[in-house]
Every structure is written in C-alpha cells, then in structure tokens.
Amino acid sequence: MPQPSTTTKTTLSEPSAMPDVQSRADHRDLAIDRVGVTGIRFPATLAVRDSQDNNTMATVATVNMFVALSAERKGTHMSRFLELLNEYRDGLSPDRVMELCRHIRDELDAERAHVELSFPYFISKQAPATKREGLMDYEATIICESTSTLDDVRLGVTVPATSLCPCSREISEYGAHNQRCLIRAEARFTETVWIEELVEYAEQSASCPVYSVLKRPDEKVVTEQAYDNPKFVEDIVRDLATLLEADKRITWFHARSENHESIHSHNAWAEITRHTGPENDLNA
Amino acid sequence: MPQPSTTTKTTLSEPSAMPDVQSRADHRDLAIDRVGVTGIRFPATLAVRDSQDNNTMATVATVNMFVALSAERKGTHMSRFLELLNEYRDGLSPDRVMELCRHIRDELDAERAHVELSFPYFISKQAPATKREGLMDYEATIICESTSTLDDVRLGVTVPATSLCPCSREISEYGAHNQRCLIRAEARFTETVWIEELVEYAEQSASCPVYSVLKRPDEKVVTEQAYDNPKFVEDIVRDLATLLEADKRITWFHARSENHESIHSHNAWAEITRHTGPENDLNA
Amino acid sequence: MPQPSTTTKTTLSEPSAMPDVQSRADHRDLAIDRVGVTGIRFPATLAVRDSQDNNTMATVATVNMFVALSAERKGTHMSRFLELLNEYRDGLSPDRVMELCRHIRDELDAERAHVELSFPYFISKQAPATKREGLMDYEATIICESTSTLDDVRLGVTVPATSLCPCSREISEYGAHNQRCLIRAEARFTETVWIEELVEYAEQSASCPVYSVLKRPDEKVVTEQAYDNPKFVEDIVRDLATLLEADKRITWFHARSENHESIHSHNAWAEITRHTGPENDLNA
Amino acid sequence: MPQPSTTTKTTLSEPSAMPDVQSRADHRDLAIDRVGVTGIRFPATLAVRDSQDNNTMATVATVNMFVALSAERKGTHMSRFLELLNEYRDGLSPDRVMELCRHIRDELDAERAHVELSFPYFISKQAPATKREGLMDYEATIICESTSTLDDVRLGVTVPATSLCPCSREISEYGAHNQRCLIRAEARFTETVWIEELVEYAEQSASCPVYSVLKRPDEKVVTEQAYDNPKFVEDIVRDLATLLEADKRITWFHARSENHESIHSHNAWAEITRHTGPENDLNA
C-alpha cells in the first residue's frame, strides 16, 4: 500500500504570513464532534473481484470528510481536506480510504477522522434463461473512522430486487402483488468481504433478483421465481440477517429493506442491526 | 374574484431615497425570458369538490414566480414577488393563482408573468371491499401565465397506481410482475376541471388504483383486479389520453406514466401530449 | 390529552376468516428492530405560540411509523398503522404524536413503537428596518418513541441563515465571502420547548438571520449585520450549543450547521451532540 | 466513427416462439410521442480537451432512452434499449451517443429516437494565487435526437460559481451579500464545442469562479474579485448569453442561473433561450 509521502507536511503548511484565524484559541470550552466538508464528487477506482488481469472499474464517489476538533482550537483548516483528497485524483480506491482517513487525522492534528464514500458499483449479470449480459449498478458505501487506537471500516451496498407478498398470494385466486424493493446490507468484518458478496446475500434474501436485460424466456423465469418465493419485508431482512450472521468474517451488520409497495403509495420497511463478533468502542 | 386593492402601488413603492440599481438602464440589448424567485414554500387552501359546506383543505405549496424583463431594464424588483405573495398568507387558493399572476405582471410592470404551484392534495378513499377510509395524497400542480392578451392555466396531478405487465402474465404459468407506477395527467380547459377528475382518469387508466388502508379482503380484490387488467406503460398513457381527449372541456393534455419495474432497477416511461381544442399562442 | 376510544380494538380486528399469514410463527429466532411504513404524507395541525386565540396552523407532514417485532412472530399488520394514523385525519398535532405512538404500540402488540414526523413550519417575520411582513418556512421534525417504561420525544428544526467567513473578512481589503447555511437544532427536554424557540437559538448563532421580504433599507441592515458578525461553521455550532446548554429545560441536544460555501462547490459542516440532563435508556 | 455491426439484427431478434404481445396491433389510433426506459446508470468515457496523449476520463452517466411509437403498434421492445446500450459497456463516449441513438431508431424500427445522458465531468483547476491543484466537478448533459432526416445534439453543463449583489454592495457601508449560484449553459452547434468551453463561458459570467482548493492568499483573491465584479442574476445570464451569441459555432443556446441567495431561503432565477443560427425542425 502506498505510503503518504514524507513531504506532505510541507505541502500543507500554510503558504503565507497572513493571519491564521482558524488556529487561534477558543474559549467556549466546547469540543466539536465533527467538522469538515461534504458533498464533494471525486473519481474512484475499484478492484474487480475474480478478475484475471487485476482489472479495475472506474466510478464517481460522493465524499464527506470530518475530524473531531478539540475545545481549545477555534477552527480546522478546511482546505487541507481537499488537498489530501487531491493526492488520489487518479482514482481513490476503497482500500486506500483508510489511508486517506489516517492521513487527514495526521495533517489536521485531530484525535479522530472520519471519511465517507458513496458510489455506483457495476456488476455484469447474465439473464437467467438467455444468458444475455447486462450491467447492473448498485449504490455502495465505505465509511472509515480512525483514532489513535482504532481503525474502523464499514462496507455497505443497496441492492434493488423483487419482493412478492405471501399474504396477497395466499388469499387471491390468481396473481400476487409484487414490487421493487431496495435491500441494504452493511457490514464490519475481520477479513475482506467483497461488494459482490454483499450483493449476493441481498439477492438471495429477495423473492427474485432484478436484471438489466430480460428477454421473454427470462421474464417467464423471474415472474415464476418470484411467485414461488414469496417474502414479506420481514422475511427479507431476517433471511439477509441469517446469511450475514453465518459469515464468520463479519462482526457487525445492518440488514434493511424498503419495499415500494405496488398496492400503496407508501413503503414497507424493516431493519435489523447486530453485533456478531467482539465489539470495540467504535462499533458500540 | 377579489381585486388587487388600489393602495397596492403605494405598498410596493420603494421605501427610501437609496439608489435603485435595478431600475437603471441596461445596454446589452438582451431581453430576459424569465426572471424571478424559486423554491418558496407557502400555505395553500383548496376547495374540496362535492363538499356540502364549501369545505376547504389546507396544504403547503412550493411556489415559483417569474416575469419577462425587457432589454432596456437592468433588473427586476425581486422583493415585490414576495410582498405580493404575502397578501395570500391566509392560504393561497388555486382560483386566485391567476389573480396573483396578473398582480405580479402589473406591479413589476412586465409583459408577461408566470406562477407555478406544486402541492400535496388529499382525497379520502374507501378500500374496495371493507370500505375502510384512508387518506391518499397526490402531488398537484397549477401553472399560470398572463400576458396583456391572454391568461393561460394548466392543472396537473401525479397519481400513484398499480401496473401489471401483460407480457409477463401471458408467458408465465402463474403470477405476473406488477409495480407502482406514477401516472401524470395535465390539462388546459375551457370549463373547470377538478383535481379529483384528473385523479379518476389516471386511476381508470391503470391496472388498479392504490389505497392507503387495505385489509385482507381488499388486498384480494386489488390483487385480482390488477391481474384481470394487465397494462403496458403504453396502454396506460393511451387509455389516459383517450379519456382526456373525450372530455370536451379539455383543450390540451399531457398524459405520462413512469413504471418502477419490479424486475428491473430502471423505469419504463411513456408520454403523449396533444392539442384537442383551439390553440392559442401560449398553448403552442 | 384525548384517549384512544375504547372501540378501537374492534375497529382493528381483522375483517374476515381469511388466513392471517402475518400472525404465524417464525422460526428464524430473529427479532426485528423496526418494521413499519415510510413515506406517508398527512395533514398536520400545529398550535401557534403566543396566539391570543389559540390559533393553529395547517401544514403537511411526512410520516414514518415503526414497531419492534418479536422473534416468534412472522409479520406485523401493516394496515393498522394507517388505520390508526387515519384517526387523526383532521390534522395530527405535535402534542398527539406520542399518543399515536402509544396507540400503535398497543394495537400492534409491540414492545416498542416509533413515529417520525417532518413538516414545514411557518413563522411570520418582519424585515429588520421597514418591518414589512413575510412568511418564513422551517423544516421541523418530531420523533417519538414509546416502550412500556419510557416515552421519549425529540423536537428538531432546520433554519436557513447567513454565515460570513471571519478569515475571508480579515485577510481581504474589502468584502467577505458569505452564504446560506442550514442550521439544525434538535432537543429533548423536560418542559415544553417551542419550535419558535429553537429557531431563535439557531438564528442568534448565525452571522445574520434570513428573511422572506427585504426592501433596500433592510438589505443594508442584513449586509452590514453579517459583516459585523463573522462566524465559521465551528462558531455557529458552538454558539448554538452554548444557548441550548444554558436552557435548563433541555436534557439533550444536537447542534449542526451545513454552510453552502459561496467560494466552493462543496459544503462546510460541523456538529455537536451532548447530554446536558439525566440520561435514560432511549437517550443513550 | 464506429459503425453498428451488421450482426446486430440477429443479436436482437427475439429468442423464442413465445407470444410477442408487444408486436400486436393497437386500435386506439394514438401514436406515442416517447416510450422508453429511464434512470439507468452506466459507465461513460470522455475525451479530455488539450490532452497530449488522447487521455480519457471515466465517469458514470444517468441514461434515458426513448423512441416514438406509431399508432398501430401495441408496444415497443424495452429490452432492446438495454441490449444496445450494453454494447458500450466499456464506456459510452459523448461522440458515440448519436450513434447509439441512430442504432436505437433502427433496431426498434422507429421514426424518431432520443437519448439523454447526464454525468459529472471533472476539470483540474489551479487556485488563483498559490496555483494549488484541485478537481472541480460539473454536471454535464448530452441530449441526442435522431429522425430519418435530421440528427440533433444539445450539450449542456451546470457550473457552480459566486454571485455578489450590486445593490447590496452599493447601499451598504461595508460588505455585500454573495452566494453560490448554479449557472447553466446549453448549446447546439455546427462545430464541436467542448464542455470546458461552456464552463469557461459560465465562469466568466459570474462574479467569480469557485474552486476546490483555496489557501488564504487565494481566498483573498476570490473575495476581492467577487466584490470588484458585482452581478445580479440578470447580469449573469445576459453576460453568458452575450458570450454564447458571439460564438459563431453556436446556433442555439439556453443561459440560466439559479442563485442560492444568502439573505433569503428562496432562490433568484433568470433564463434566456435563443436561436442564433439557422433553425431546423428539431430546434424549433
């Protein structure tokens, strides 16, 4: 993993003899939990699982970056966040987000730093019958926090899928209402978990996955698969929680689904959050 | 209809001898199509159809207001838009939006004024079998434009409903994919059309309406009704267009549906816009 | 405070001999933290502070409602949330949200219920010099949670205001960059705190409040007031936290500001969350 | 420019003897203006202006694709849109969007096809005094329409910038309210116009550009530059329109600005749309 260059401190030193208002003392005796910058869009580069050639995928992340500010300091140096981020302008990769996070903690002289990335992630997927290829996009997040004693990472992904209502199916002569749902799987882990694995867990928990390209033979498969596999929003999160709990690498998870009910204008929602490994102070 | 009070000009006269930068001449020889204010939230009061007691309903509108600015004038007086709007602070009603629009044209000394309102509109709806009551909300819009020769009004509403795919139904042994769709009906007319009427047209064009409260006997009804009534997104907009075309009060319409496909992460979309009565220059 | 009517249980009993899939046993041994419905829009009625005639204000809330579901139960009865909400169709008032929350816990036979409301709140405000009136809107939230041993309420409001940068002012010959910021104040309390009070705390913490109507003499006042009162995003949240901390009714607060920097396309952000009174298990 | 391969028709033939519901006749005698798919996210690859090595930039586009549907046909084949898009999965480039558009018109046997792309575009920008580098992102759009007689392309970009109020500056003893504005420049042209050029036109029309990284000497420059260069929202769109009108490659433009007023919670808005070259039927 590339190391922050030793000249970085020099780079970030303030460029002039102008008054440094931010560095003045503050007398309100109030530490700030988080101060930083939000809503930055930035290129990101991601490793692709199972790639024979160490392929990467390019995407665009929305980035938020924060530090804790001690009570005695008037302000943080906001421009440094951007200067540090800019060192990754050829594409910030997920495995370097924690490096950036530590880098920020260092350069902004803070007890704690926090970086959030959210970005579309693409997976090529074959239709179930015709095997036609199509690109699916999933919204993924990486949240890193770094203190002097602990590094904490959370990986998450939101997966569109089909849910079909067991009650509607059972009480109706024919048909059953179904709809798009957005399943969210988020995890902390001790060994690498791939975004693709979280996507698979979420899709296994739905009535049926969704696809980009579906020809008629495929449409028949997904229609019948959803009907054969009815799930309440409660079933989806319980099945997802069961899969995440069984994965020994995972020490904490959040399982959630929001179903865009086709018979209502409101949504159905369920969520389960659990520690499944040893807790630490940032997990708590 | 209430008339602007004769003291209004006084109200809106500028309050001091300060320089009036906006009123200076401009030399770029460029008229501005629209200048104004956007994103204002404001209380609105609406008449309820078929109310025995002339009942009204309170809601909150998002308001945009614009005028055309002639080439020789440097700027418009933005504060006047807000002062004029504020005269309706007890609740702007749809039938007074055109009054506000003319008022703006007058007070800002413009050739053309334009006011847009968008607001949630509530209709109480009974479940189809148990007749349990529930409140449905629909996003409605009123768009008014006023020139010296013409007043133009467009009324629109977005209606959530169920669509069920005819292809999926026909090729599958059992089941059929269905989903929430958002149907949009927008019209110009010669005689009053109620929001409730546009909602009914949209719901008749779907596979089935959606409801706020559905008990099990209701859920059976809507599941089977949708299955009995399959519609592509193309069918929905054609059926809606047919209903709007047949209404002799309507002189122009826009019919649209966006279906949140339960088997894809993308949406299906169709739209038809037509003049069905005499055109005028603002319709064109 | 009005009590749920004694006939409610009857109202919510299931209407038929149809199979009740939701009530079946579940064997995955996983309780669900929250299950419910989201994204409902509903009329709300609010008391106005200092009103001589007990005036109320009408607005529209977005509502989310949840319960905790025990491990042995397959599903909750989603339609009951809507039936219970519908009893407040003449306008849900903030002081009855906890009543609704308890009602839900009861009728859905849950250990815990949770209701969230978010709605625009209007306050009439006079321009600082000309005293012209204009209606300001603020996004307010009420979050209630009810268990068998505890009722917990959080009130919050997001307040647009002006922030002017102290550093820019100090280092520049003339001018200073300023921008709209969104200040968030959220609190738990032992005695009633009004939305108006949280708005005032937030506005006092900014460089200057914003207004709906400003004539030229007013614009001079706010321009100079902001310049006389420069604040970093850090200053805003510290000043807000100081005010909230000093209010003896408040036992917990969250103070936050997001500044839409006029010299960047990203935002500056700061937040402080503190317990200032005795903690309880839901506060923790 | 690469040509659609001759085997495409084969690729998109329907894969089975299943009933083809979409291809059936329709008897409502209503052509559909636009039918298609919306909300697809897809990788895009863009050429970088002035790149010595023909460098490209990777980004993610949101894509909408439509065709006109004749009155006699029941439905379009939605899956073909996705299959055609998927041929560009290594990164759709702007100069190939029209190719995709024609491809769609062909394969869906339509009179007219329409493709819309919107994506973040990155430009590295140096701070004005310290020359520190930072990456700015701009939201760009490409809209293509193809008929048997005409291809039409519109390129657009939304540019965040600083606007400083001339009135506030003139009437105040010190200071002037300023804010972030979002300037939109959109154009049709006869010869290639780069996104970078539209960005430059927009930034020249503002009181001052915004930057990603600004150190104190830079902040002094932009604060004073904005103060030296006050602009109403009307001035911004007129100055932008003047620049676009003077560019002889451009035949049509839309110039717009939305200013997020720092002294209000609403926005100021102005827009100018003009034909400056020969019109054609799609421009009209």
Side-chain angles (χ1 to χ4, degrees), chain A residues 10-22 39-43 58-61 77 79-80 82-83 86 89 119-124 130 132-139 212-220, chain D residues 10-22 39-43 58-61 77 79-80 82-83 86 89 119-124 130 132-139 212-220:
Chain A
T10 310
T11 310
L12 296 187
S13 67
E14 295 312 309
S16 78
M18 286 182 168
D20 183 355
V21 184
Q22 285 87 342
I40 301 149
R41 293 205 292 185
F42 204 77
T59 185
V60 174
H77 288 91
S79 64
R80 296 187 187 180
L82 279 299
E83 289 186 276
N86 203 45
R89 54 177 296 180
F119 51 89
Y121 187 82
F122 294 98
I123 300 179
S124 186
T130 64
R132 301 270 168 102
E133 289 271 340
L135 219 45
M136 283 289 301
D137 74 278
Y138 304 92
E139 190 70 21
S212 169
V213 175
L214 290 174
K215 304 306 286 184
R216 283 202 299 281
D218 305 307
E219 194 170 347
K220 178 178 159 63
Chain D
T10 310
T11 311
L12 296 187
S13 66
E14 295 311 310
S16 79
M18 286 183 168
D20 183 355
V21 185
Q22 284 88 343
I40 301 150
R41 292 205 292 185
F42 204 79
T59 186
V60 174
H77 287 92
S79 63
R80 294 188 188 178
L82 280 300
E83 288 186 276
N86 203 46
R89 55 177 294 180
F119 51 90
Y121 187 82
F122 294 98
I123 300 179
S124 186
T130 64
R132 301 271 168 103
E133 289 270 341
L135 220 45
M136 283 289 301
D137 75 278
Y138 304 91
E139 191 70 20
S212 169
V213 175
L214 290 173
K215 305 304 288 184
R216 282 202 300 281
D218 305 308
E219 194 170 346
K220 177 178 160 63

Side-chain angles (χ1 to χ4, degrees), chain D:
Chain D
M1 189 180 283
Q3 295 304 313
S5 79
T6 54
T7 59
T8 306
K9 288 256 180 218
T10 310
T11 311
L12 296 187
S13 66
E14 295 311 310
S16 79
M18 286 183 168
D20 183 355
V21 185
Q22 284 88 343
S23 295
R24 292 181 191 156
D26 199 87
H27 306 290
R28 278 162 292 198
D29 193 29
L30 268 163
I32 293 180
D33 301 345
R34 279 190 193 174
V35 52
V37 288
T38 62
I40 301 150
R41 292 205 292 185
F42 204 79
T45 305
L46 296 107
V48 176
R49 185 179 64 158
D50 303 333
S51 163
Q52 289 146 337
D53 315 303
N54 292 316
N55 279 349
T56 57
M57 164 197 318
T59 186
V60 174
T62 298
V63 183
N64 302 329
M65 301 180 282
F66 308 96
V67 289
L69 188 71
S70 59
E72 61 275 5
R73 192 132 10 131
K74 185 169 173 62
T76 193
H77 287 92
M78 297 280 189
S79 63
R80 294 188 188 178
F81 288 105
L82 280 300
E83 288 186 276
L84 290 168
L85 180 63
N86 203 46
E87 295 182 8
Y88 299 85
R89 55 177 294 180
D90 293 331
L92 181 57
S93 67
D95 58 335
R96 297 186 71 188
V97 178
M98 183 54 82
E99 176 193 285
L100 168 62
C101 195
R102 283 191 222 113
H103 210 162
I104 288 171
R105 188 162 65 80
D106 243 47
E107 292 294 337
L108 280 95
D109 194 20
E111 294 238 330
R112 185 182 282 239
H114 182 102
V115 175
E116 301 174 346
L117 251 78
S118 122
F119 51 90
Y121 187 82
F122 294 98
I123 300 179
S124 186
K125 216 164 140 182
Q126 289 187 337
T130 64
K131 306 302 174 195
R132 301 271 168 103
E133 289 270 341
L135 220 45
M136 283 289 301
D137 75 278
Y138 304 91
E139 191 70 20
T141 56
I142 296 170
I143 300 180
C144 289
E145 193 148 5
S146 174
T147 70
S148 61
T149 58
L150 191 66
D151 283 351
D152 181 57
V153 185
R154 265 188 296 161
L155 180 71
V157 68
T158 301
V159 179
T162 308
S163 73
L164 186 138
C165 178
C167 172
S168 166
R169 187 186 114 147
E170 184 151 336
I171 63 183
S172 306
E173 298 284 318
Y174 39 80
H177 79 80
N178 53 74
Q179 51 269 320
R180 197 189 297 165
C181 58
L182 293 176
I183 304 176
R184 174 115 186 118
E186 209 176 333
R188 290 183 167 99
F189 35 79
T190 50
E191 269 174 77
T192 301
V193 170
W194 289 85
I195 292 173
E196 284 87 343
E197 293 177 285
L198 293 182
V199 169
E200 286 161 11
Y201 287 151
E203 293 187 338
Q204 286 168 35
S205 307
S207 294
C208 189
V210 302
Y211 296 86
S212 169
V213 175
L214 290 173
K215 305 304 288 184
R216 282 202 300 281
D218 305 308
E219 194 170 346
K220 177 178 160 63
V221 169
V222 297
T223 301
E224 296 173 358
Q225 181 179 335
Y227 193 86
D228 286 336
N229 201 21
K231 302 248 192 165
F232 287 126
V233 69
E234 293 95 331
D235 293 317
I236 293 173
V237 295
R238 276 174 168 148
D239 287 349
L240 177 55
T242 302
L243 289 168
L244 294 168
E245 211 165 31
D247 187 322
K248 291 311 167 203
R249 298 167 299 175
I250 292 175
T251 60
W252 170 96
F253 67 82
H254 175 69
R256 185 172 82 202
S257 185
E258 184 178 43
N259 294 12
H260 298 171
E261 301 296 285
S262 65
I263 60 171
H264 294 299
S265 64
H266 58 259
N267 304 320
W269 176 287
E271 61 177 77
I272 298 175
T273 307
R274 289 288 184 280
H275 283 287
T276 51
E279 297 192 19
N280 60 40
D281 65 340
L282 287 175
N283 278 5

Side-chain angles (χ1 to χ4, degrees), chain B residues 10-22 39-43 58-60 77 79-80 82-83 86 89 119-120 122 124 130 132-135 137-139 212-217 219-220, chain C residues 10-22 39-43 58-60 77 79-80 82-83 86 89 119-120 122 124 130 132-135 137-139 212-217 219-220:
Chain B
T10 310
T11 310
L12 296 187
S13 67
E14 295 311 311
S16 78
M18 285 183 169
D20 183 355
V21 184
Q22 285 88 343
I40 299 150
R41 291 204 294 186
F42 204 77
T59 186
V60 174
H77 288 93
S79 64
R80 296 189 186 178
L82 280 301
E83 288 186 276
N86 203 46
R89 55 177 293 180
F119 50 90
F122 293 98
S124 187
T130 64
R132 301 272 169 99
E133 288 270 342
L135 220 44
D137 74 279
Y138 304 91
E139 190 70 22
S212 169
V213 175
L214 290 173
K215 305 304 289 184
R216 283 201 299 282
E219 193 169 347
K220 177 178 159 65
Chain C
T10 311
T11 311
L12 296 188
S13 68
E14 295 311 311
S16 79
M18 287 184 167
D20 183 356
V21 183
Q22 284 87 343
I40 300 150
R41 291 205 292 185
F42 204 77
T59 186
V60 173
H77 287 92
S79 63
R80 296 188 186 178
L82 280 300
E83 288 186 277
N86 203 47
R89 53 178 296 179
F119 51 90
F122 294 98
S124 187
T130 64
R132 302 269 169 102
E133 289 271 339
L135 220 44
D137 75 279
Y138 304 92
E139 190 69 20
S212 169
V213 176
L214 291 174
K215 305 303 288 183
R216 283 201 299 281
E219 193 169 347
K220 176 178 159 66

